[in-house]
Structures are given as C-alpha cells and as structure tokens.
C-alpha cells in the first residue's frame, strides 16, 4: 500500500477540489471494465452500446482504454491534480493533457503496462503490448478522446453529478470542522486508512510512499468509481481521487419523486429531499414552513429507518442523509513521478 505523509503545514493547506477530467476517467473505467458494480449496472447498460461502438471505430481509443482499465498504475498524463480547485474546468485539464510530449506519454504507458491489475487484466490483451500506439501526437489524441467521452456520457448529467460531488464535499467539510482530517476522511474508501497524525495509507497494491509538501493535498470526489487513485503533477502537487458518497444515485427511476412519496409519505419524502444539504431541525422547519414538532417526528422516523443521521456540532444537531438515504432519493446522478498508483 502507498503511504502519503503530510507535514502540519500540508495538513492545514489541504482542501477539496473538483475535477471534470477525473470524472471522465472514472466514467470511462466504469464503462470499459466487465462486471460493473450493481448500483450503476443499469446506467452502464444504457451507455455501453455507444461506448463500444466508439472504441470499435478507433483502435487507439480501444487500446488506450483497454490499458487504463486493466492496470494498477494510471499514467500521470491523464491523472493530473485539478489546477483550479472547485473552479477547475475540463478545458484547463485537457490543455495539460495535450502538453505531454510523445516520449513521456509512451514511457508512462510502458509503466502502466508493467503493472497489470490482478482482477481486470485477466484475459485482456491490450496491456501486453502497445501495437495500437501508432503515429504521433498521442497526448492530443487522448485529450480529444476524453472530450468525446465527456460529451457523450457526462455533459448532460454534469449538473446533477456536480451536485452530488458538492454534497460529499459539504459533508466532509462539516466533519473536518468537528473532528479534523481523520474524521473528514473516514470511510472515504474501503482501501484508505488514516495512520497516526500525519499519514494516509491507501490502495491495495505496493508503491513508493509520497511526502506531501507544504502546498497540501487535494481531495477529489468522483461518481461511478469504486476505488481511489493518486494524481501527481509538477512541483510536488498531489490529489487523491475517491468515490463520493451517494454515487449509487447515478441510476435512478424515471419518476423517483412519486415513488418516494408512496414509500415514505409526502411529508417525510419532502423532508428527505430537503436534506440535499445538511441542516438542523430549526432550519428545516423554517425552510418547509412546518412546526418543529412535525419536523422532529419525521426526522425520528427517518433516523430509525437509517435514512438520516444527526451529528452534534457545538450546541446544534445537524442532520444529513445517510448513504441509504442518498440512494433512495436518487437526485445526485446518475477512478512529478510518472507512475500513479490506483487502489
């Protein structure tokens, strides 16, 4: 497992960020790999025909995504730290991808090829050679491919996906204020653990440890991902990508509001939807124009059902939806050094 070691200053400067590129990469991996997670199988079935047709028409795309989906080392030419925090745009990230020279691009793919994933590389031929890597300007072709994937599979869903990612960040920011970084990173990934006051261990595969400099670490949530990966850029810039809470809501029913009301009743369904952002019972009562007693009764039922949980912050109790609650509501939509380990 890889260990990230952070100085006290690095901890104080670590922050959350968004990355449309990481979202695109995670989506591509979800489409390229067999045996999808059950919670996005329906979404994948809808998108897979167009995705497969695009790969069949382009040997470069088929070879590249075959390699990326069957390695434990994502090349840093596509796994880069988002440059502008929460305001990062896909255009800015793809510009960085395009700037990678051919020699560097190929060397990174050779490293990825040398680290086949024990689960996904079985029976996959694309990681054995790079015969599909013909011509030149590979980084530019990769940027064009990623942009096409974004347009075909993500752009229309991005507002809802972004809302899901922002909810995850808001949730973890609240934990950070109360419990510090170990609390904020709790259950970020089943393969990530906080070790002592200044180190994070993540992934299941061996790799060199990293020392995070005073610039700090970026934490980047994505939907449709089941693992984590580390992005590394120049000047010691690092970002850890992790699966956002509630990502199972990517595959939703055609009319989830009516189904939710039939299941919970109108009042409790309305309150559960209102907890898109964590809130106190007083805030919920004011927002919904209901009495505190009514809101408290609904919260008690939802809490007993495991759909919401209350976290004490000072004198207040802030309620948020649990992962089960996120899945039920389904309003959020709906993976330097040149080797980037992935869990």
């Amino acid at each position: 497992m890889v260990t990230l070691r952070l100085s006290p200053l690095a901890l104080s400067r670590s922050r959350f960020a968004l990355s449309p590129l990481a979202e695109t990469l995670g989506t591509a991996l979800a489409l390229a790999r067999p045996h999808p997670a059950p919670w996005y199988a329906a979404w994948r079935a809808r998108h897979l025909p167009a995705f497969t047709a695009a790969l069949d028409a382009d040997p470069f795309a088929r070879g590249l995504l075959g390699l990326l989906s069957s390695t434990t080392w994502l090349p840093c030419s596509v796994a880069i730290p988002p440059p502008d925090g929460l305001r990062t745009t896909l255009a800015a990230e793809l510009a960085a991808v395009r700037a990678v020279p051919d020699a560097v691009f190929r060397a990174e793919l050779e490293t990825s090829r040398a680290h086949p994933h024990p689960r996904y590389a079985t029976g996959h031929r694309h990681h054995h050679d790079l015969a599909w890597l013909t011509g030149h300007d590979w980084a530019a072709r990769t940027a064009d491919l990623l942009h096409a994937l974004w347009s075909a599979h993500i752009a229309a869903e991005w507002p809802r996906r972004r809302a899901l990612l922002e909810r995850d960040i808001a949730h973890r920011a609240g934990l950070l204020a109360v419990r510090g970084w170990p609390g904020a990173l709790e259950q970020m990934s089943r393969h990530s653990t906080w070790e002592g006051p200044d180190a994070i261990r993540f992934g299941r595969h061996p790799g060199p440890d990293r020392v995070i400099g005073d610039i700090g670490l970026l934490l980047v949530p994505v939907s449709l991902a089941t693992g984590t990966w580390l992005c590394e850029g120049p000047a010691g810039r690092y970002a850890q990508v992790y699966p956002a809470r509630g990502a199972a809501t990517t595959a939703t029913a055609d009319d989830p509001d009516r189904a939710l009301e039939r299941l919970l009743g109108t009042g409790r369904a309305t309150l559960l939807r209102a907890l898109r952002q964590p809130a106190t019972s007083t805030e919920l009562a004011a927002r919904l124009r209901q009495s505190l007693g009514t809101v408290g009764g609904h919260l008690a039922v939802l809490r007993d059902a495991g759909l919401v949980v209350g976290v004490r912050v000072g004198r207040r109790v802030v309620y948020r939806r649990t992962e089960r609650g996120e899945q039920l509501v389904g309003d959020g939509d709906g993976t330097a050094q040149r080797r980037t380990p992935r869990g």
Side-chain angles (χ1 to χ4, degrees):
M1 295 177 69
V2 176
T3 299
L4 308 179
R5 302 193 180 279
L6 297 87
S7 68
L9 186 57
L11 277 174
S12 68
R13 291 180 174 175
S14 294
R15 59 199 184 280
F16 293 93
L18 292 176
S19 171
L21 176 58
E23 186 71 16
T24 304
L25 186 56
T27 298
L29 297 178
L31 287 168
R33 289 173 170 171
H35 314 302
W39 47 263
Y40 66 71
W43 176 93
R44 183 176 182 270
R46 293 196 303 272
H47 286 260
L48 190 59
F51 178 78
T52 301
L55 296 195
D56 288 343
D58 184 354
F60 176 83
R62 184 171 63 251
L64 179 63
L65 291 179
L67 175 60
L68 297 183
S69 63
S70 61
T71 181
T72 61
W73 293 87
L74 288 178
C76 69
S77 55
V78 296
I80 61 175
D84 298 310
L86 296 173
R87 299 184 301 276
T88 296
T89 64
L90 181 64
E93 294 182 295
L94 292 183
V97 174
R98 292 181 188 277
V100 179
D102 276 356
V104 173
F105 189 87
R106 184 181 184 100
E108 292 179 354
L109 294 189
E110 291 283 5
T111 301
S112 296
R113 186 174 67 92
H115 292 81
H117 196 292
R119 178 179 181 185
Y120 298 110
T122 302
H124 205 305
R125 296 182 300 171
H126 293 297
H127 73 275
H128 291 302
D129 61 62
L130 300 178
W132 48 268
L133 196 62
T134 59
H136 53 85
D137 294 332
W138 300 317
R141 292 163 68 183
T142 299
D144 290 341
L145 170 61
L146 292 168
H147 187 271
L149 291 171
W150 168 272
S151 299
H153 304 291
I154 302 171
E157 302 174 352
W158 180 237
R160 289 193 294 164
R161 290 199 191 196
R162 184 181 180 113
L164 180 150
L165 303 178
E166 289 174 341
R167 285 203 308 274
D168 181 271
I169 290 174
H171 166 69
R172 296 191 185 280
L175 293 176
L176 174 63
V178 177
R179 300 168 55 188
W181 278 111
L185 304 187
E186 184 179 7
Q187 296 183 343
M188 174 175 287
S189 166
R190 58 196 176 99
H191 303 308
S192 298
T193 57
W194 190 272
E195 302 232 336
D198 61 355
I200 306 170
R201 291 179 67 88
F202 81 98
R204 294 173 295 179
H205 308 291
D209 291 350
R210 306 296 206 280
V211 176
I212 308 301
D214 290 344
I215 192 173
L217 177 68
L218 295 176
L219 287 306
V220 181
V222 292
S223 65
L224 287 180
T226 56
T228 66
W229 65 86
L230 185 67
C231 303
E232 185 171 354
R237 296 178 62 245
Y238 292 94
Q240 183 177 353
V241 177
Y242 67 92
R245 299 166 52 255
T249 60
T250 299
T252 60
D254 291 335
D255 191 1
D257 287 349
R258 290 183 60 191
L260 188 65
E261 290 177 358
R262 289 197 302 269
L263 180 65
L264 299 178
T266 300
R268 286 188 285 274
T270 299
L271 190 147
L272 190 61
R273 284 195 292 268
L275 281 175
R276 180 168 184 160
Q277 296 292 340
T280 66
S281 57
T282 301
E283 292 167 341
L284 289 167
R287 188 186 308 169
L288 301 176
R289 297 183 179 180
Q290 297 179 0
S291 69
L292 273 174
T294 298
V295 168
H298 288 329
L299 285 171
V301 173
L302 295 173
R303 187 174 58 244
D304 290 344
L307 301 178
V308 304
V309 65
V311 178
R312 182 167 293 280
V313 181
R315 295 184 177 181
R316 305 187 309 158
V317 176
V318 178
Y319 292 90
R320 63 169 178 82
R321 297 193 300 227
T322 63
E323 183 173 354
R324 182 183 298 175
E326 297 281 3
Q327 293 173 3
L328 192 60
V329 173
D331 63 357
D333 210 314
T335 91
Q337 203 170 31
R338 295 178 188 160
R339 299 190 300 176
T340 305
R342 185 172 76 242

